[in-house]
Amino acid sequence: MKVSIDADICQGQGRCFSIAPRIFTFDDLGNGVVIADGTLTDQGLELARLAQSNCPEHAIFIEE
Amino acid sequence: MVRATSHFAYSPNDAEIRQVTQGGQLTDREPVRDFAIDWDHTDPQWVADPYPIWDDLRERCPIAHTDRYGSGWFPTTHDAVSAIANDTEHFTSRMVVVTKNRFPPGAPPAPMGGAPPITSDPPFHAVARRLLLPAFAPEPVNALEPQIRALCQKHLDALVGRDTIDAGHEYAQFIPPGVIARMLGFPPEDEDQFRDFVHVVLDLVDLEPEIRGPLFWPINAYFSAQIEDHLRNPRDDLTTFLLNVEVDGKKLAPEHVRGSMVLILVAGIDTTWSAIGSSIWHLATHREDLERLVDEPELMEVAVEEFLRFYAPVTMARLVKDDYEFRGCPMKKDDWILLGFPAANRDPAVFAKADEFIIDREVNRHAAFGLGIHRCVGSNLARLELRVALEEFLKRYQKFELDPSSDVTWAPGQVRGPRAIPLRVG
């Protein structure tokens, strides 16, 4: 299970890294980035899904 | 040192503006009969309570039209708002505030517009935006938290011992100007007068151009004085940064520097103050939510997002680039689009129980900060100010309600929020 952010879609709305700060962080422009390679635990998957359902730009993708 | 404040001697005061407003148009305004074919976002009914109007239009239209302001469209569904916000091919951001005069004399043309990057189109937009993003990224913004908290406490300290307060004029509206003035490096003692700027730019939109135009003169003079002062005395602030930064080896055009400064000041002030005010107003009128937030402070983060969804203060505008049929609407070149992010936030197709405020709403894909490339540059700062302002307010007051002896007033135009919020806190 892996999560990723499409950098072309992300506009730096900032929801992902405030909801799931262990999975997402931000770059120096404030855009969301996935920490490490985005591999998810079961608990991580739940949080990643919550972040995904709060992203206004639909920029988060999860491979299950 | 330039005595910038002296320019405010020419600034119109509230009484003058009221006189102009009444003389200018309020009295001769045609009442709206049907918002579907004649919408007006400054109509008293819309200003007082726009939500039933939007719900009705969403079902009936869902894109309403008006011949006012020289012809404009108002999409009410999340889907249509999102489609237009993401379509920079057919819609331009050159003008983002709906006024009677689309192209005031001297307004910088596309792709920059008068207040880059909010008024800019691609590809110039990305250049102007990239310059501002680092200053408003989470890390530098989070570092401001202690300052913001101290500012909130200072204004709350001034209210100690009072049984009734105006949480708008005596609290909410002080917080954002204090923060943004510091970021731009403007003298903190000018904060009071920043509110006049905002009023002219955002509230007085349906004045005739020949009346509205001169209201900008003192604003322009103030910015000239600040630019001059920062050129002579460079310091560590956004104004100095904009004056010195180079893109491809060239400094920014003077109108770019000035436009970005105007944007940061105007967009950073009454937007956030409106959000703080609406949230306090909500808590004053919904006791169960107030009690819950006091008892469960860990809810603050999701509550802030619901305040932002439910009371999203900001509506933006676009212009139609060329004649274009959008979802059956025959849009003409230079027609206005009133881009109702707050209406999108109430769309039941996207939000469960869209018309209910749910303080612990977990799934909340709201569009309060816009969608697409023009996402509010200051959203991290706005969220921080809103959260801290509410936290500090609730530390002082755990019980409060509207004071029935005076009226709540709401701002007209494209930034919605309560101005006066009379509360009983004792």
Side-chain angles (χ1 to χ4, degrees), chain A residues 8-15 17-20 26-31 49-60, chain B residues 78 86 129-130 133-135 137-139 142 301 305 362-367 369-376 379-380 383:
Chain A
D8 290 334
I9 302 176
C10 175
Q11 298 291 348
Q13 296 265 2
R15 301 302 305 283
F17 49 77
S18 65
I19 289 172
F26 44 83
D27 63 15
D28 60 357
L29 299 180
N31 288 327
R49 277 195 186 132
L50 185 62
Q52 184 184 42
S53 62
N54 276 283
C55 174
E57 309 287 352
H58 299 259
I60 299 174
Chain B
H78 187 283
N86 281 292
R129 181 173 172 87
R130 211 189 154 84
L133 282 174
E139 214 160 78
N142 291 341
E301 207 160 304
E305 299 305 324
E362 274 216 311
V363 173
N364 196 346
R365 193 177 255 150
H366 69 76
F369 293 113
L371 295 167
I373 63 167
H374 289 282
R375 185 269 304 170
C376 169
S379 61
N380 296 304
R383 278 197 171 95

CSV table of all heavy atoms in Angstrom, one decimal, chain A residues 8-15 17-20 26-31 49-60, chain B residues 78 86 129-130 133-135 137-139 142 301 305 362-367 369-376 379-380 383:
chain,number,residue,atom,x,y,z
A,8,ASP,N,1.5,18.1,-9.9
A,8,ASP,CA,0.9,19.0,-10.9
A,8,ASP,C,-0.5,19.4,-10.5
A,8,ASP,O,-1.0,20.4,-11.0
A,8,ASP,CB,0.8,18.3,-12.3
A,8,ASP,CG,2.2,18.1,-12.9
A,8,ASP,OD1,3.1,18.9,-12.6
A,8,ASP,OD2,2.3,17.2,-13.7
A,9,ILE,N,-1.1,18.6,-9.6
A,9,ILE,CA,-2.5,19.0,-9.1
A,9,ILE,C,-2.4,19.7,-7.8
A,9,ILE,O,-3.2,20.6,-7.5
A,9,ILE,CB,-3.3,17.7,-9.0
A,9,ILE,CG1,-3.3,16.9,-10.4
A,9,ILE,CG2,-4.7,18.0,-8.6
A,9,ILE,CD1,-4.1,15.6,-10.3
A,10,CYS,N,-1.5,19.3,-6.9
A,10,CYS,CA,-1.4,20.0,-5.6
A,10,CYS,C,-1.2,21.5,-5.7
A,10,CYS,O,-0.4,22.0,-6.5
A,10,CYS,CB,-0.2,19.4,-4.8
A,10,CYS,SG,0.1,20.2,-3.2
A,11,GLN,N,-2.0,22.2,-4.9
A,11,GLN,CA,-1.9,23.7,-4.9
A,11,GLN,C,-1.5,24.2,-3.5
A,11,GLN,O,-1.6,25.4,-3.2
A,11,GLN,CB,-3.3,24.3,-5.3
A,11,GLN,CG,-3.7,24.0,-6.7
A,11,GLN,CD,-2.8,24.6,-7.8
A,11,GLN,OE1,-2.0,25.4,-7.5
A,11,GLN,NE2,-3.0,24.1,-9.0
A,12,GLY,N,-1.1,23.3,-2.7
A,12,GLY,CA,-0.6,23.7,-1.4
A,12,GLY,C,-1.8,24.1,-0.4
A,12,GLY,O,-1.6,25.0,0.4
A,13,GLN,N,-2.9,23.4,-0.5
A,13,GLN,CA,-4.0,23.7,0.3
A,13,GLN,C,-3.7,23.4,1.8
A,13,GLN,O,-4.3,23.9,2.7
A,13,GLN,CB,-5.3,23.0,-0.1
A,13,GLN,CG,-5.8,23.3,-1.5
A,13,GLN,CD,-6.9,24.4,-1.4
A,13,GLN,OE1,-7.3,24.9,-0.3
A,13,GLN,NE2,-7.5,24.8,-2.5
A,14,GLY,N,-2.8,22.4,2.0
A,14,GLY,CA,-2.3,22.2,3.3
A,14,GLY,C,-3.1,21.3,4.2
A,14,GLY,O,-2.8,21.2,5.4
A,15,ARG,N,-4.0,20.6,3.7
A,15,ARG,CA,-4.9,19.7,4.5
A,15,ARG,C,-4.1,18.4,4.9
A,15,ARG,O,-4.3,18.0,6.0
A,15,ARG,CB,-6.2,19.4,3.8
A,15,ARG,CG,-7.0,20.6,3.4
A,15,ARG,CD,-7.4,21.4,4.6
A,15,ARG,NE,-8.1,20.7,5.6
A,15,ARG,CZ,-9.4,20.3,5.6
A,15,ARG,NH1,-10.1,20.6,4.6
A,15,ARG,NH2,-9.9,19.6,6.6
A,17,PHE,N,-0.9,17.5,5.3
A,17,PHE,CA,0.1,17.5,6.4
A,17,PHE,C,-0.4,17.9,7.7
A,17,PHE,O,0.2,17.7,8.7
A,17,PHE,CB,1.4,18.2,6.0
A,17,PHE,CG,1.2,19.6,5.4
A,17,PHE,CD1,1.0,20.7,6.3
A,17,PHE,CD2,1.4,19.8,4.1
A,17,PHE,CE1,0.9,21.9,5.8
A,17,PHE,CE2,1.2,21.1,3.5
A,17,PHE,CZ,1.0,22.2,4.4
A,18,SER,N,-1.6,18.6,7.8
A,18,SER,CA,-2.1,18.8,9.1
A,18,SER,C,-2.9,17.7,9.6
A,18,SER,O,-2.9,17.4,10.8
A,18,SER,CB,-2.9,20.1,9.1
A,18,SER,OG,-4.0,20.0,8.3
A,19,ILE,N,-3.5,16.9,8.7
A,19,ILE,CA,-4.3,15.7,9.1
A,19,ILE,C,-3.4,14.5,9.5
A,19,ILE,O,-3.6,13.8,10.4
A,19,ILE,CB,-5.4,15.4,8.0
A,19,ILE,CG1,-6.5,16.4,8.0
A,19,ILE,CG2,-5.9,14.0,8.3
A,19,ILE,CD1,-7.4,16.3,6.8
A,20,ALA,N,-2.4,14.3,8.6
A,20,ALA,CA,-1.5,13.2,8.8
A,20,ALA,C,-0.1,13.6,8.7
A,20,ALA,O,0.6,13.3,7.7
A,20,ALA,CB,-1.9,12.1,7.7
A,26,PHE,N,5.7,19.2,3.9
A,26,PHE,CA,5.5,20.3,2.9
A,26,PHE,C,6.9,20.7,2.4
A,26,PHE,O,7.9,20.5,3.1
A,26,PHE,CB,4.8,21.5,3.5
A,26,PHE,CG,5.3,21.8,4.8
A,26,PHE,CD1,6.4,22.6,5.0
A,26,PHE,CD2,4.6,21.4,6.0
A,26,PHE,CE1,6.8,23.0,6.3
A,26,PHE,CE2,5.1,21.7,7.2
A,26,PHE,CZ,6.2,22.5,7.4
A,27,ASP,N,6.9,21.3,1.2
A,27,ASP,CA,8.2,21.8,0.7
A,27,ASP,C,8.3,23.3,1.0
A,27,ASP,O,7.4,23.8,1.6
A,27,ASP,CB,8.4,21.5,-0.8
A,27,ASP,CG,7.3,22.1,-1.7
A,27,ASP,OD1,6.7,23.1,-1.2
A,27,ASP,OD2,7.2,21.7,-2.8
A,28,ASP,N,9.3,24.0,0.5
A,28,ASP,CA,9.5,25.3,0.9
A,28,ASP,C,8.5,26.3,0.2
A,28,ASP,O,8.5,27.5,0.6
A,28,ASP,CB,11.0,25.8,0.8
A,28,ASP,CG,11.4,25.7,-0.7
A,28,ASP,OD1,10.6,25.2,-1.5
A,28,ASP,OD2,12.6,26.1,-1.0
A,29,LEU,N,7.7,25.8,-0.7
A,29,LEU,CA,6.6,26.6,-1.2
A,29,LEU,C,5.3,26.3,-0.6
A,29,LEU,O,4.3,26.9,-0.9
A,29,LEU,CB,6.5,26.4,-2.8
A,29,LEU,CG,7.7,26.7,-3.6
A,29,LEU,CD1,7.4,26.4,-5.1
A,29,LEU,CD2,8.1,28.1,-3.5
A,30,GLY,N,5.3,25.3,0.3
A,30,GLY,CA,4.1,25.0,1.1
A,30,GLY,C,3.3,23.9,0.4
A,30,GLY,O,2.2,23.6,0.8
A,31,ASN,N,3.8,23.3,-0.7
A,31,ASN,CA,3.1,22.2,-1.3
A,31,ASN,C,3.3,20.9,-0.6
A,31,ASN,O,4.3,20.7,0.1
A,31,ASN,CB,3.6,22.0,-2.8
A,31,ASN,CG,3.1,23.2,-3.7
A,31,ASN,OD1,2.0,23.7,-3.5
A,31,ASN,ND2,3.9,23.5,-4.7
A,49,ARG,N,-6.3,7.9,3.8
A,49,ARG,CA,-7.7,8.0,3.2
A,49,ARG,C,-8.4,9.3,3.7
A,49,ARG,O,-9.1,10.0,2.9
A,49,ARG,CB,-8.5,6.8,3.6
A,49,ARG,CG,-8.2,5.6,2.6
A,49,ARG,CD,-9.3,4.6,2.8
A,49,ARG,NE,-9.0,3.4,2.0
A,49,ARG,CZ,-9.1,2.2,2.5
A,49,ARG,NH1,-9.5,2.0,3.8
A,49,ARG,NH2,-8.8,1.1,1.8
A,50,LEU,N,-8.2,9.6,5.0
A,50,LEU,CA,-8.9,10.8,5.6
A,50,LEU,C,-8.3,12.0,4.9
A,50,LEU,O,-9.0,13.0,4.5
A,50,LEU,CB,-8.7,10.8,7.1
A,50,LEU,CG,-9.4,11.9,7.8
A,50,LEU,CD1,-10.9,11.8,7.7
A,50,LEU,CD2,-9.0,11.9,9.3
A,51,ALA,N,-7.0,12.0,4.8
A,51,ALA,CA,-6.3,13.2,4.1
A,51,ALA,C,-6.8,13.3,2.7
A,51,ALA,O,-7.2,14.4,2.2
A,51,ALA,CB,-4.8,13.0,4.1
A,52,GLN,N,-6.9,12.1,2.0
A,52,GLN,CA,-7.4,12.1,0.6
A,52,GLN,C,-8.8,12.7,0.5
A,52,GLN,O,-9.1,13.5,-0.4
A,52,GLN,CB,-7.4,10.7,0.1
A,52,GLN,CG,-7.7,10.5,-1.4
A,52,GLN,CD,-7.8,9.1,-1.8
A,52,GLN,OE1,-8.3,8.2,-1.0
A,52,GLN,NE2,-7.2,8.8,-2.9
A,53,SER,N,-9.7,12.3,1.4
A,53,SER,CA,-11.0,12.8,1.3
A,53,SER,C,-11.2,14.3,1.8
A,53,SER,O,-12.3,14.8,1.7
A,53,SER,CB,-12.0,11.9,2.2
A,53,SER,OG,-11.6,12.0,3.5
A,54,ASN,N,-10.1,14.9,2.2
A,54,ASN,CA,-10.2,16.3,2.6
A,54,ASN,C,-9.4,17.2,1.6
A,54,ASN,O,-9.3,18.4,1.8
A,54,ASN,CB,-9.6,16.5,4.0
A,54,ASN,CG,-10.7,16.3,5.1
A,54,ASN,OD1,-11.5,17.1,5.3
A,54,ASN,ND2,-10.7,15.1,5.7
A,55,CYS,N,-8.7,16.6,0.7
A,55,CYS,CA,-7.9,17.4,-0.3
A,55,CYS,C,-8.8,18.1,-1.3
A,55,CYS,O,-9.5,17.4,-2.1
A,55,CYS,CB,-6.9,16.5,-1.0
A,55,CYS,SG,-6.0,17.4,-2.3
A,56,PRO,N,-8.9,19.4,-1.2
A,56,PRO,CA,-9.8,20.1,-2.2
A,56,PRO,C,-9.5,19.9,-3.6
A,56,PRO,O,-10.3,20.1,-4.5
A,56,PRO,CB,-9.7,21.6,-1.7
A,56,PRO,CG,-9.1,21.5,-0.4
A,56,PRO,CD,-8.2,20.3,-0.3
A,57,GLU,N,-8.2,19.6,-3.9
A,57,GLU,CA,-7.8,19.5,-5.3
A,57,GLU,C,-7.7,18.1,-5.8
A,57,GLU,O,-7.4,17.9,-7.0
A,57,GLU,CB,-6.3,20.1,-5.4
A,57,GLU,CG,-6.2,21.5,-4.8
A,57,GLU,CD,-6.8,22.6,-5.6
A,57,GLU,OE1,-7.3,22.3,-6.7
A,57,GLU,OE2,-6.9,23.8,-5.1
A,58,HIS,N,-8.1,17.1,-5.0
A,58,HIS,CA,-8.1,15.7,-5.4
A,58,HIS,C,-6.7,15.3,-5.9
A,58,HIS,O,-6.5,14.7,-7.0
A,58,HIS,CB,-9.1,15.4,-6.5
A,58,HIS,CG,-10.5,15.7,-6.1
A,58,HIS,ND1,-11.4,14.7,-5.7
A,58,HIS,CD2,-11.2,16.8,-5.9
A,58,HIS,CE1,-12.5,15.2,-5.3
A,58,HIS,NE2,-12.5,16.5,-5.4
A,59,ALA,N,-5.7,15.7,-5.1
A,59,ALA,CA,-4.3,15.5,-5.6
A,59,ALA,C,-3.6,14.3,-4.9
A,59,ALA,O,-2.5,13.9,-5.3
A,59,ALA,CB,-3.4,16.7,-5.2
A,60,ILE,N,-4.3,13.6,-4.0
A,60,ILE,CA,-3.7,12.4,-3.3
A,60,ILE,C,-4.2,11.1,-3.9
A,60,ILE,O,-5.4,10.9,-4.1
A,60,ILE,CB,-4.1,12.5,-1.8
A,60,ILE,CG1,-3.5,13.8,-1.2
A,60,ILE,CG2,-3.5,11.3,-1.1
A,60,ILE,CD1,-3.9,14.0,0.2
B,78,HIS,N,-20.8,23.4,-6.6
B,78,HIS,CA,-19.3,23.2,-6.5
B,78,HIS,C,-18.7,22.8,-7.8
B,78,HIS,O,-17.6,23.3,-8.1
B,78,HIS,CB,-19.1,22.0,-5.4
B,78,HIS,CG,-17.7,21.8,-5.0
B,78,HIS,ND1,-16.8,21.2,-5.8
B,78,HIS,CD2,-17.0,22.2,-3.9
B,78,HIS,CE1,-15.6,21.1,-5.2
B,78,HIS,NE2,-15.7,21.8,-4.0
B,86,ASN,N,-10.6,26.3,-12.4
B,86,ASN,CA,-9.5,25.6,-13.0
B,86,ASN,C,-9.4,25.8,-14.5
B,86,ASN,O,-8.5,25.2,-15.2
B,86,ASN,CB,-9.7,24.1,-12.7
B,86,ASN,CG,-9.3,23.7,-11.3
B,86,ASN,OD1,-8.1,23.8,-11.0
B,86,ASN,ND2,-10.2,23.4,-10.5
B,129,ARG,N,3.6,34.3,-8.2
B,129,ARG,CA,3.1,33.5,-7.1
B,129,ARG,C,4.3,32.9,-6.4
B,129,ARG,O,4.4,32.9,-5.1
B,129,ARG,CB,2.1,32.4,-7.5
B,129,ARG,CG,1.6,31.6,-6.4
B,129,ARG,CD,0.5,30.7,-7.0
B,129,ARG,NE,0.1,29.7,-6.0
B,129,ARG,CZ,-0.9,29.9,-5.1
B,129,ARG,NH1,-1.5,31.1,-5.1
B,129,ARG,NH2,-1.3,29.0,-4.3
B,130,ARG,N,5.2,32.4,-7.1
B,130,ARG,CA,6.4,31.7,-6.5
B,130,ARG,C,7.2,32.6,-5.6
B,130,ARG,O,7.8,32.2,-4.7
B,130,ARG,CB,7.3,31.2,-7.7
B,130,ARG,CG,8.0,29.9,-7.4
B,130,ARG,CD,9.0,29.6,-8.4
B,130,ARG,NE,10.1,28.8,-7.8
B,130,ARG,CZ,10.0,27.5,-7.6
B,130,ARG,NH1,9.0,26.8,-8.0
B,130,ARG,NH2,11.0,26.8,-7.0
B,133,LEU,N,5.2,32.7,-2.2
B,133,LEU,CA,4.9,31.4,-1.5
B,133,LEU,C,5.8,31.1,-0.3
B,133,LEU,O,5.3,30.8,0.8
B,133,LEU,CB,4.9,30.2,-2.5
B,133,LEU,CG,3.6,30.1,-3.3
B,133,LEU,CD1,3.8,29.0,-4.4
B,133,LEU,CD2,2.4,29.8,-2.5
B,134,PRO,N,7.2,31.3,-0.5
B,134,PRO,CA,8.0,30.9,0.7
B,134,PRO,C,7.7,31.7,1.9
B,134,PRO,O,7.7,31.1,3.0
B,134,PRO,CB,9.4,31.3,0.1
B,134,PRO,CG,9.3,31.2,-1.4
B,134,PRO,CD,7.9,31.7,-1.7
B,135,ALA,N,7.3,32.9,1.8
B,135,ALA,CA,7.0,33.7,3.0
B,135,ALA,C,5.8,33.2,3.7
B,135,ALA,O,5.6,33.5,4.9
B,135,ALA,CB,6.9,35.2,2.7
B,137,ALA,N,4.7,29.9,3.5
B,137,ALA,CA,4.7,28.5,3.7
B,137,ALA,C,4.6,28.2,5.2
B,137,ALA,O,4.8,29.0,6.0
B,137,ALA,CB,6.0,28.0,3.1
B,138,PRO,N,4.3,26.9,5.5
B,138,PRO,CA,4.0,26.6,6.9
B,138,PRO,C,5.1,27.0,7.9
B,138,PRO,O,4.8,27.5,9.0
B,138,PRO,CB,3.8,25.1,6.9
B,138,PRO,CG,3.3,24.8,5.5
B,138,PRO,CD,4.0,25.8,4.6
B,139,GLU,N,6.3,26.8,7.5
B,139,GLU,CA,7.4,27.0,8.5
B,139,GLU,C,7.5,28.5,9.0
B,139,GLU,O,7.4,28.7,10.2
B,139,GLU,CB,8.7,26.5,8.0
B,139,GLU,CG,9.6,25.9,9.1
B,139,GLU,CD,10.6,25.0,8.5
B,139,GLU,OE1,11.7,25.5,8.0
B,139,GLU,OE2,10.4,23.8,8.6
B,142,ASN,N,4.2,29.4,10.9
B,142,ASN,CA,4.1,28.8,12.3
B,142,ASN,C,4.9,29.6,13.3
B,142,ASN,O,4.6,29.6,14.5
B,142,ASN,CB,4.4,27.3,12.3
B,142,ASN,CG,3.3,26.5,11.5
B,142,ASN,OD1,2.2,27.0,11.4
B,142,ASN,ND2,3.7,25.3,11.1
B,301,GLU,N,-9.1,22.0,15.6
B,301,GLU,CA,-8.6,21.9,14.3
B,301,GLU,C,-9.8,21.6,13.3
B,301,GLU,O,-9.9,22.2,12.2
B,301,GLU,CB,-7.5,20.9,14.2
B,301,GLU,CG,-6.6,21.2,13.0
B,301,GLU,CD,-5.2,20.5,13.2
B,301,GLU,OE1,-4.6,20.7,14.2
B,301,GLU,OE2,-4.9,19.8,12.3
B,305,GLU,N,-12.0,24.1,10.3
B,305,GLU,CA,-12.3,23.8,8.9
B,305,GLU,C,-13.8,23.9,8.7
B,305,GLU,O,-14.2,24.4,7.6
B,305,GLU,CB,-11.8,22.4,8.5
B,305,GLU,CG,-10.3,22.2,8.7
B,305,GLU,CD,-9.5,23.2,7.9
B,305,GLU,OE1,-9.9,23.6,6.8
B,305,GLU,OE2,-8.4,23.6,8.4
B,362,GLU,N,-15.5,15.5,9.9
B,362,GLU,CA,-14.2,14.9,9.6
B,362,GLU,C,-13.8,15.0,8.2
B,362,GLU,O,-12.7,15.2,7.8
B,362,GLU,CB,-14.1,13.5,10.1
B,362,GLU,CG,-13.8,13.3,11.5
B,362,GLU,CD,-12.9,12.1,11.7
B,362,GLU,OE1,-13.2,11.0,11.2
B,362,GLU,OE2,-11.8,12.2,12.4
B,363,VAL,N,-14.8,14.8,7.3
B,363,VAL,CA,-14.5,14.9,5.9
B,363,VAL,C,-15.1,16.2,5.4
B,363,VAL,O,-16.3,16.5,5.4
B,363,VAL,CB,-15.2,13.7,5.1
B,363,VAL,CG1,-15.1,13.9,3.6
B,363,VAL,CG2,-14.6,12.4,5.6
B,364,ASN,N,-14.2,17.1,5.0
B,364,ASN,CA,-14.5,18.5,4.7
B,364,ASN,C,-13.6,19.0,3.6
B,364,ASN,O,-12.7,19.7,3.9
B,364,ASN,CB,-14.4,19.3,6.0
B,364,ASN,CG,-15.1,20.6,6.0
B,364,ASN,OD1,-15.5,21.0,4.9
B,364,ASN,ND2,-15.3,21.2,7.1
B,365,ARG,N,-14.0,18.8,2.4
B,365,ARG,CA,-13.2,19.2,1.2
B,365,ARG,C,-13.7,20.6,0.8
B,365,ARG,O,-14.0,20.8,-0.4
B,365,ARG,CB,-13.5,18.1,0.2
B,365,ARG,CG,-12.5,18.1,-1.0
B,365,ARG,CD,-12.8,17.0,-1.9
B,365,ARG,NE,-11.9,15.9,-1.8
B,365,ARG,CZ,-12.2,14.7,-2.1
B,365,ARG,NH1,-13.4,14.3,-2.4
B,365,ARG,NH2,-11.2,13.7,-2.0
B,366,HIS,N,-13.7,21.5,1.7
B,366,HIS,CA,-14.2,22.8,1.4
B,366,HIS,C,-13.3,23.6,0.5
B,366,HIS,O,-12.1,23.3,0.4
B,366,HIS,CB,-14.5,23.6,2.7
B,366,HIS,CG,-13.3,24.0,3.4
B,366,HIS,ND1,-12.5,25.0,3.1
B,366,HIS,CD2,-12.8,23.5,4.6
B,366,HIS,CE1,-11.5,25.2,3.9
B,366,HIS,NE2,-11.7,24.3,4.9
B,367,ALA,N,-13.9,24.7,-0.1
B,367,ALA,CA,-13.1,25.5,-1.1
B,367,ALA,C,-13.0,26.9,-0.6
B,367,ALA,O,-12.9,27.9,-1.3
B,367,ALA,CB,-13.9,25.5,-2.4
B,369,PHE,N,-10.6,28.6,0.5
B,369,PHE,CA,-9.4,29.3,0.0
B,369,PHE,C,-9.3,29.3,-1.5
B,369,PHE,O,-8.2,29.5,-2.0
B,369,PHE,CB,-8.1,28.7,0.7
B,369,PHE,CG,-8.1,29.0,2.2
B,369,PHE,CD1,-8.2,27.9,3.1
B,369,PHE,CD2,-8.0,30.3,2.7
B,369,PHE,CE1,-8.1,28.2,4.5
B,369,PHE,CE2,-7.9,30.5,4.0
B,369,PHE,CZ,-8.0,29.5,4.9
B,370,GLY,N,-10.4,28.9,-2.1
B,370,GLY,CA,-10.3,28.9,-3.6
B,370,GLY,C,-9.9,27.5,-4.1
B,370,GLY,O,-9.5,26.6,-3.3
B,371,LEU,N,-9.9,27.3,-5.4
B,371,LEU,CA,-9.5,26.1,-6.0
B,371,LEU,C,-8.6,26.4,-7.2
B,371,LEU,O,-8.7,27.4,-7.8
B,371,LEU,CB,-10.7,25.3,-6.5
B,371,LEU,CG,-11.7,24.8,-5.4
B,371,LEU,CD1,-13.0,24.3,-6.1
B,371,LEU,CD2,-11.0,23.6,-4.6
B,372,GLY,N,-7.6,25.5,-7.4
B,372,GLY,CA,-6.7,25.7,-8.6
B,372,GLY,C,-5.6,26.6,-8.3
B,372,GLY,O,-5.2,26.8,-7.1
B,373,ILE,N,-5.0,27.2,-9.4
B,373,ILE,CA,-3.8,27.9,-9.2
B,373,ILE,C,-3.8,29.2,-8.4
B,373,ILE,O,-2.8,29.7,-8.0
B,373,ILE,CB,-3.2,28.3,-10.6
B,373,ILE,CG1,-4.1,29.3,-11.4
B,373,ILE,CG2,-2.9,27.0,-11.5
B,373,ILE,CD1,-3.4,29.9,-12.6
B,374,HIS,N,-5.0,29.7,-8.1
B,374,HIS,CA,-5.2,30.9,-7.3
B,374,HIS,C,-5.5,30.6,-5.9
B,374,HIS,O,-5.9,31.5,-5.1
B,374,HIS,CB,-6.2,31.8,-7.9
B,374,HIS,CG,-5.8,32.5,-9.2
B,374,HIS,ND1,-4.9,33.5,-9.2
B,374,HIS,CD2,-6.0,32.2,-10.5
B,374,HIS,CE1,-4.7,33.9,-10.5
B,374,HIS,NE2,-5.4,33.1,-11.3
B,375,ARG,N,-5.2,29.4,-5.4
B,375,ARG,CA,-5.5,29.1,-4.0
B,375,ARG,C,-4.8,30.2,-3.1
B,375,ARG,O,-3.7,30.6,-3.4
B,375,ARG,CB,-4.8,27.7,-3.7
B,375,ARG,CG,-5.0,27.2,-2.2
B,375,ARG,CD,-4.0,27.6,-1.2
B,375,ARG,NE,-2.6,27.3,-1.5
B,375,ARG,CZ,-1.6,27.7,-0.9
B,375,ARG,NH1,-1.7,28.5,0.2
B,375,ARG,NH2,-0.4,27.3,-1.3
B,376,CYS,N,-5.6,30.7,-2.2
B,376,CYS,CA,-5.2,31.8,-1.3
B,376,CYS,C,-3.7,31.5,-0.8
B,376,CYS,O,-3.4,30.6,-0.1
B,376,CYS,CB,-6.1,31.9,-0.1
B,376,CYS,SG,-5.5,33.0,1.2
B,379,SER,N,-3.3,31.1,3.1
B,379,SER,CA,-4.2,30.2,3.8
B,379,SER,C,-3.6,29.7,5.1
B,379,SER,O,-4.3,29.5,6.1
B,379,SER,CB,-4.6,29.1,2.9
B,379,SER,OG,-3.5,28.3,2.4
B,380,ASN,N,-2.3,29.4,5.1
B,380,ASN,CA,-1.6,28.9,6.3
B,380,ASN,C,-1.7,29.9,7.4
B,380,ASN,O,-2.0,29.6,8.6
B,380,ASN,CB,-0.2,28.5,6.1
B,380,ASN,CG,0.0,27.4,5.1
B,380,ASN,OD1,-0.6,26.3,5.3
B,380,ASN,ND2,0.7,27.6,4.0
B,383,ARG,N,-5.4,30.4,8.7
B,383,ARG,CA,-5.8,29.3,9.6
B,383,ARG,C,-5.2,29.5,11.0
B,383,ARG,O,-5.9,29.3,12.0
B,383,ARG,CB,-5.3,27.9,9.0
B,383,ARG,CG,-6.2,27.3,8.0
B,383,ARG,CD,-5.8,25.8,7.8
B,383,ARG,NE,-6.8,25.2,7.0
B,383,ARG,CZ,-6.7,25.1,5.7
B,383,ARG,NH1,-5.5,25.5,5.1
B,383,ARG,NH2,-7.6,24.5,5.0
